[in-house]
């Protein structure tokens, strides 16, 4: 998104969601990423940085909207230029931002993200504390949460109070309202006080989720070093009795899936990567957009494989451009890629 498209002083503006019956509400952090203007350099070597909106839950909300779905974001930013910019970006991307709150004392979070030569990322965060960590339970838009067909969240909000308790309260409201709970831990170790603290908190809400997306690295971390490719490891240590779907993302190689009834693998869609930022979030948005329209996907393996191939294509398109939100694909872009020869059959 070009900076000229951002209208300066608008804060949160309630948007009529296109279809509350399929609403995906995303809870958590939204921040500013500063990305080097050239790839393959360390932060110290970078000649300059370009700012971009970031934060996994916000990326997913935009991703769902970009695909034509209905989405909303709940979180806190600073009452500053960057915070207002982020609220505007959501509004301009047709995401309901009425659940955003603005902190007068804390700043919007910043992250410096390096793009190594292989397109992978390294992070340096500025959150001491940042506004996203200070969202209070009393500030939650409970009515918005109750409308969610799917309530999606990560683990970064679990790192500090008061946001930790606020996330737990929001999850409880969503669960009581019949929402499908979707969890992407989105491990960012530099933000946690220790590896043990990260593992403990991420797993503390594990059994509450209906749908979980994890990466191979996260399996290794959460299981204390076990083989992420071993189905028995996944099923015995990470699958829980009330889980409807566990998806393991494998980057360019696609994903694996596990449900109560079946398990399998869906191949990736081949593209030339430029920047992997937001690929996992695009994958999640593709999957959640499909589930919001049809929850029977969780019980029908053929439909599930089609939905996961679609999600793989969403992720693939995103890595062909720099940044997360600017690279989130439209429905037409995904369908065009899937109709090309590069897409595997589900």
């Amino acid at each position: 998104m070009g900076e000229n498209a951002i209208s300066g002083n608008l804060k949160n503006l309630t948007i009529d969601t296109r279809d509350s019956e399929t609403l995906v509400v995303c809870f958590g952090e939204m921040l500013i990423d500063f990305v080097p203007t050239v790839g393959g350099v360390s932060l110290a070597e970078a000649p300059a940085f370009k700012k971009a909106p970031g934060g996994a839950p916000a990326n997913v909300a935009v991703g769902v909207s970009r695909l034509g779905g209905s989405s909303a974001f709940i979180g806190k930013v600073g009452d500053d230029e960057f915070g207002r910019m982020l609220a505007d970006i959501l509004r301009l991307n047709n995401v309901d931002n009425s659940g955003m709150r603005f902190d007068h004392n804390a700043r919007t979070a910043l992250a410096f993200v390096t793009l190594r030569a292989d397109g992978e990322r390294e992070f340096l965060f500025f959150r001491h504390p940042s506004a996203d960590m200070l969202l209070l339970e009393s500030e939650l838009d409970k009515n918005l949460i109750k409308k969610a067909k799917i309530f999606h969240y990560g683990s970064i909000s679990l790192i500090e109070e008061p946001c930790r308790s606020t996330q737990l309260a929001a999850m409880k409201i969503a669960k009581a309202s019949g929402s499908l709970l979707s969890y992407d831990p989105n491990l960012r170790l530099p933000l946690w006080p220790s590896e043990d603290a990260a593992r403990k908190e991420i797993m503390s809400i594990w059994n509450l989720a209906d749908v979980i997306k994890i990466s191979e690295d996260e399996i290794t971390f959460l299981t204390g070093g076990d083989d992420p490719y071993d189905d028995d490891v996944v099923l015995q240590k990470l699958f829980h009795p009330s889980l409807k779907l566990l998806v393991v993302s494998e980057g360019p190689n696609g994903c694996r899936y596990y449900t109560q009834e079946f398990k399998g693998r869906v191949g990736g869609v081949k593209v030339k990567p430029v920047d992997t930022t937001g690929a996992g979030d695009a994958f999640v948005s593709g999957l959640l957009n499909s589930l919001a329209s049809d929850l029977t996907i969780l019980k029908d393996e053929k439909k599930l494989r089609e939905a996961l191939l679609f999600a793989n294509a969403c992720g693939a398109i995103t890595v062909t451009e720099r940044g997360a939100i600017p690279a989130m694909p439209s429905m037409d872009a995904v369908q065009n890629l899937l109709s090309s020869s590069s897409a595997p059959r589900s």
Side-chain angles (χ1 to χ4, degrees):
M1 171 169 300
E3 290 176 14
N4 292 338
I6 301 159
S7 54
N9 295 318
L10 284 168
K11 284 190 181 180
N12 47 342
L13 177 75
T14 303
I15 296 171
D16 290 331
T17 49
R18 277 167 276 194
D19 184 356
S20 61
E21 295 297 311
T22 60
L23 179 63
V24 177
V25 176
C26 300
F27 175 97
E29 71 281 0
M30 190 174 191
L31 59 146
I32 303 289
D33 287 334
F34 285 90
V35 184
T37 51
V38 296
V41 297
S42 69
L43 289 175
E45 295 166 337
F49 295 89
K50 181 179 180 181
K51 70 180 188 295
N59 292 343
V60 172
V62 171
V64 168
S65 179
R66 193 74 56 82
L67 291 168
S70 176
S71 68
F73 174 76
I74 292 177
K76 200 172 196 182
V77 293
D79 187 15
D80 51 40
E81 284 297 308
F82 284 151
R84 290 186 286 273
M85 181 189 103
L86 293 175
D88 277 355
I89 286 170
L90 291 180
R91 180 183 60 82
L92 293 167
N93 280 280
N94 295 315
V95 175
D96 182 337
N97 65 5
S98 61
M100 285 185 82
R101 300 293 179 260
F102 297 81
D103 196 291
H104 301 298
N105 299 312
R107 297 296 189 195
T108 300
L110 308 178
F112 286 79
V113 187
T114 67
L115 306 174
R116 301 197 312 247
D118 60 2
E120 285 299 322
R121 297 159 294 160
E122 295 170 356
F123 297 90
L124 177 61
F125 294 95
F126 287 78
R127 302 168 85 236
H128 307 291
S130 53
D132 59 288
M133 301 157 69
L134 303 176
L135 182 67
L136 301 170
E137 182 179 346
S138 61
E139 295 175 309
L140 285 174
D141 187 334
K142 295 179 175 64
N143 288 329
L144 182 59
I145 296 170
K146 289 175 182 176
K147 291 177 186 173
K149 179 78 168 283
I150 298 174
F151 185 73
H152 176 73
Y153 49 88
S155 69
I156 288 173
S157 296
L158 299 175
I159 297 172
E160 295 272 359
E161 292 289 358
C163 196
R164 179 182 180 278
S165 293
T166 305
Q167 173 165 333
L168 296 176
M171 290 167 57
K172 188 174 181 180
I173 294 166
K175 195 78 167 178
S177 302
S179 304
L180 188 84
L181 265 55
S182 165
Y183 183 25
D184 178 359
N186 198 37
L187 178 66
R188 295 286 180 264
L189 266 181
L191 293 177
W192 290 90
S194 69
E195 289 194 9
D196 285 345
R199 199 175 287 112
K200 178 174 177 286
E201 285 297 328
I202 287 171
M203 295 306 295
S204 72
I205 60 170
W206 198 261
N207 291 348
L208 298 173
D210 299 300
V211 174
I212 297 174
K213 191 280 278 185
I214 47 172
S215 68
E216 300 154 296
D217 290 344
E218 287 165 347
I219 294 175
T220 302
F221 175 76
L222 292 172
T223 59
D226 287 353
D227 181 0
Y229 302 102
D230 187 337
D231 284 348
D232 289 337
V233 167
V234 175
L235 290 169
Q236 291 170 20
K237 293 197 173 183
L238 297 175
F239 201 91
H240 66 76
S242 57
L243 191 58
K244 295 180 172 67
L245 174 65
L246 176 66
V247 179
V248 179
S249 58
E250 299 182 341
N253 297 319
C255 64
R256 306 199 306 275
Y257 59 89
Y258 304 85
T259 74
Q260 303 282 2
E261 286 90 26
F262 41 76
K263 63 181 181 178
R265 189 174 171 281
V266 177
V269 181
K270 296 292 181 282
V271 293
K272 185 176 180 181
V274 173
D275 173 15
T276 60
T277 304
D281 301 329
F283 175 92
V284 171
S285 66
L287 176 59
L288 296 187
N289 188 61
S290 298
L291 288 175
S293 299
D294 183 7
L295 287 178
T296 67
I297 287 170
L298 295 168
K299 295 285 189 182
D300 183 325
E301 188 169 13
K302 182 175 184 293
K303 281 185 183 179
L304 177 61
R305 292 181 63 84
E306 289 171 356
L308 291 171
L309 179 60
F310 180 88
N312 285 345
C314 289
I317 290 172
T318 304
V319 306
T320 64
E321 293 184 41
R322 290 195 187 277
I325 285 178
M328 291 287 161
S330 66
M331 182 65 77
D332 285 347
V334 180
Q335 290 175 340
N336 288 342
L337 179 60
L338 288 173
S339 65
S340 72
S341 58
S342 63
R345 297 302 92 197
S346 69

